[in-house]
Amino acid sequence: MTAIMNQSADATKRRMRLWRLALRRRIRGDAGMSTSEYAVGTLAACAFAAILYKVVTSGGVVTALTQLITKALDVQF
């Protein structure tokens, strides 16, 4: 009888330990980025900024923006 009670208590302890681990993982989570992820993200942002700068400073875009600003400033009220 004692062996059965010990097995039941051990099984309950095991379930409680697993429940605590699952709860701890859920609360703590893994929401942060590692250093390599920061590096890749920074590199991608820099590459996007460089491409965007090249597009915005190209001749056609500068001309279009200049015309747009000129039209906006010359509006009659």
Side-chain angles (χ1 to χ4, degrees):
M1 183 75 169
T2 321
I4 294 173
M5 290 179 68
N6 285 341
Q7 287 177 351
S8 177
D10 288 342
T12 303
K13 286 180 186 177
R14 227 177 294 122
R15 275 192 297 251
M16 290 300 291
R17 186 173 45 237
L18 290 174
W19 183 78
R20 276 194 312 264
L21 285 173
L23 184 62
R24 193 178 310 148
R25 282 186 195 132
R26 190 173 268 212
I27 290 171
R28 184 175 42 187
D30 187 20
M33 291 194 308
S34 66
T35 304
S36 61
E37 290 170 328
Y38 276 115
V40 170
T42 303
L43 184 63
C46 290
F48 180 73
I51 292 170
L52 186 62
Y53 176 77
K54 281 300 218 180
V55 168
V56 170
T57 57
S58 67
V61 175
V62 169
T63 304
L65 287 174
T66 304
Q67 289 174 353
L68 179 70
I69 292 170
T70 305
K71 283 182 183 179
L73 292 175
D74 289 339
V75 171
Q76 299 295 321
F77 291 102

